[in-house]
Amino acid sequence: MNIFVILMTYGSPKTLSEVPHYLKNVYGGKDAPIETIKEFQRRYKVIGGSPLVKITQQQAIALEEELNKQKTGSMFHVAAGMRFSDPFIEDVIKNQAEDMDAIVGIIMSPQYSPIIMSGYVKELGNAVAKLIRKPLTLKTATDWHLQPFFLQAMAEKVQEALDTYPQEVRDRVPVLFSAHSMPKRVIDKEPDYINDLKETAAEIARIADLKKKRWLFCYQSAGHTPEEWLKPDFADIMPDLKAKGETHVLIAPVQFLADHLEILYDVGIGAREQAEKQGIAFKRTESLNTSPLFIKALAEVVKTTLE
């Protein structure tokens, strides 16, 4: 049996000149405000461009190797497909999945929100419906926020980061588990999504053996709109840490699976500036990227979804 696996995520512009077109896709075909375009171009320039597409493709290569190494009796083919930039989900399916017996879609977020992420499911379904081959099995992984290998891989990154601190501060550095903020109106309709994020953070803290008072769950990357966004943002927490006499902080994103704008700029630059403004030494955990444990987690997600 030939099985095609597609890793689906947001995407990113290849060059600064592609930013307007990329944002137009994100905005559903509407041109983004010129101020937004310029700000995104500035941020992408600061980080030297987003590596998200390249890393997701590397994850696909590693996952294909892992799945076929396990000798399940099926032959797996894995590729990356983006929602808002090349290579688009529809193009990847059309060009690579025609001869497959089954297709598995994985949204590259362990916590699933029907409101936020149903677009991936719809887009994949539409792409598969256009294929000539029939019948064809299609399954999409949704929630996998408690997948054991994923949690272990995240806890490993936390511990690796903590091990870089001097012995005298290592056991008391506050750890902030962050997730992308959302408008409150969205989450009011879908509280389970935030509960899953918090549950992920709690499990990672448990595996990493962090005492309860030592870690916090917070948000990052809130949009610049007048409506209410979820709090607390990491910027709100830094003054509190200073007031408590803390001198170090470690930020560990629990939702993002690869380096991209929200990691390299929002955390690596924005959070660092907020910490250092308060006289607090800043570090962040390394992203999972192609961590072997994380690739094993993705392989288990594929097999569970097929079952």
Side-chain angles (χ1 to χ4, degrees):
M1 188 175 186
N2 287 321
I3 300 171
F4 186 78
V5 180
I6 181 167
L7 305 183
M8 301 181 291
T9 190
Y10 230 63
S12 59
K14 292 190 182 81
T15 64
L16 296 182
S17 62
E18 287 186 8
V19 170
H21 182 66
Y22 167 73
L23 289 177
K24 188 172 184 177
N25 290 338
V26 174
Y27 278 53
K30 298 178 181 179
D31 291 325
I34 187 64
E35 297 83 4
T36 302
I37 292 172
K38 288 182 178 179
E39 176 59 17
F40 269 78
Q41 287 176 324
R42 183 189 72 82
R43 294 185 180 194
Y44 279 118
K45 185 175 182 180
V46 168
I47 66 170
S50 171
L52 178 61
V53 174
K54 181 179 179 180
I55 292 173
T56 311
Q57 290 171 331
Q58 291 170 344
Q59 290 170 332
I61 292 170
L63 177 57
E64 179 174 302
E65 182 178 337
E66 175 65 28
L67 285 167
N68 288 322
K69 184 175 68 177
Q70 293 184 9
K71 300 187 183 302
T72 61
S74 296
M75 178 61 69
F76 289 90
H77 309 267
V78 187
M82 307 293 132
R83 190 172 174 196
F84 300 116
S85 73
D86 285 325
F88 289 100
I89 292 169
E90 181 174 341
D91 294 336
V92 171
I93 292 297
K94 179 175 65 177
N95 296 331
Q96 300 188 47
E98 186 69 66
D99 297 328
M100 299 293 113
D101 302 304
I103 295 175
V104 176
I106 298 181
I107 302 164
M108 296 298 279
S109 171
Q111 305 85 11
Y112 180 73
S113 160
I115 293 176
I116 302 166
M117 300 167 190
S118 59
Y120 289 98
V121 179
K122 181 178 180 182
E123 198 155 324
L124 178 59
N126 289 341
V128 172
K130 294 177 182 178
L131 294 179
I132 297 172
R133 176 163 184 162
K134 300 289 188 294
L136 183 65
T137 299
L138 170 62
K139 295 189 176 184
T140 303
T142 51
D143 176 70
W144 44 281
H145 74 285
L146 294 180
Q147 207 293 319
F149 286 135
F150 160 65
L151 295 173
Q152 189 178 345
M154 290 293 294
E156 196 174 76
K157 294 299 183 185
V158 171
Q159 198 57 59
E160 286 173 0
L162 290 174
D163 286 345
T164 65
Y165 286 93
Q167 184 67 49
E168 60 269 20
V169 300
R170 185 179 303 165
D171 294 333
R172 57 182 178 84
V173 174
V175 180
L176 305 185
F177 292 108
S178 69
H180 202 301
S181 185
M182 298 301 302
K184 187 175 180 299
R185 59 176 171 81
V186 175
I187 299 308
D188 284 344
K189 300 176 183 176
E190 202 174 88
D192 287 347
Y193 176 60
I194 294 302
N195 292 337
D196 288 350
L197 285 165
K198 292 179 178 179
E199 194 172 22
T200 297
E203 281 299 297
I204 295 168
R206 181 186 64 79
I207 296 169
D209 199 24
L210 300 180
K211 294 178 181 178
K212 193 167 185 179
K213 291 184 178 180
R214 187 178 167 189
W215 64 272
L216 292 168
F217 177 78
C218 64
Y219 298 98
Q220 62 168 90
S221 310
H224 301 287
T225 61
E227 63 186 317
E228 183 179 359
W229 288 69
L230 297 178
K231 297 284 187 180
D233 189 272
F234 54 60
D236 304 321
I237 294 175
M238 298 302 176
D240 294 337
L241 294 180
K242 180 183 179 181
K244 292 176 181 177
E246 300 293 355
T247 56
H248 298 76
V249 68
L250 173 66
I251 291 190
V254 298
Q255 179 187 19
F256 304 123
L257 306 175
D259 286 327
H260 63 310
L261 187 69
E262 281 81 356
I263 294 289
L264 300 179
Y265 186 88
D266 294 356
V267 176
I269 295 175
R272 179 183 297 277
E273 289 176 351
Q274 293 293 336
E276 292 177 349
K277 188 188 298 183
Q278 303 296 329
I280 297 173
F282 167 91
K283 286 188 180 183
R284 73 166 176 91
T285 54
E286 288 186 1
S287 297
L288 291 178
N289 294 333
T290 55
S291 153
L293 263 179
F294 174 56
I295 299 304
K296 285 183 181 293
L298 289 177
E300 291 303 310
V301 171
V302 171
K303 292 186 291 183
T304 301
T305 303
L306 284 168
E307 291 167 2

